[in-house]
Amino acid sequence: DEEFTADPGSWILKPRDVLHTFWNAGPEPARIIELMTPGAFEHMFRRMAGMAARDELTDERLDDLAAEFGTMIDMAWVPDLAARYGLEVTL
């Protein structure tokens, strides 16, 4: 229920078990450095991107993938967020 704006050079802590997302609200490209611990969590995103590229990313497969990595993905709130801010969801 909180929103943060990060100016260039800022760091934001996203605690474990808190639903979150991020987006670039400006017209210029942005770079993001995301540090995740423990390590190996990046493999979930790599596999998710592969499934999306092959058009195999269903809600059920996404749930199974997240469970494999000990987490959950809840996309139910994303359409409202996208509509509120005029965002294009690219997942």
Side-chain angles (χ1 to χ4, degrees), residues 3-61:
E3 293 180 20
F4 299 91
T5 299
D7 294 320
S10 297
W11 292 89
I12 294 177
L13 173 64
K14 300 179 300 183
R16 199 178 282 244
D17 298 325
V18 174
L19 290 175
H20 63 273
T21 190
F22 52 86
W23 66 89
N24 179 7
E28 299 298 320
R31 288 190 213 180
I32 296 172
I33 297 173
E34 185 161 5
L35 306 174
M36 295 179 274
T37 60
F41 194 61
E42 69 276 8
H43 298 297
M44 182 184 84
F45 295 106
R46 186 173 294 119
R47 289 184 41 203
M48 186 186 308
M51 290 189 318
R54 294 185 304 271
D55 201 27
E56 299 172 349
L57 194 56
T58 63
D59 288 343
E60 183 178 344
R61 292 201 67 194

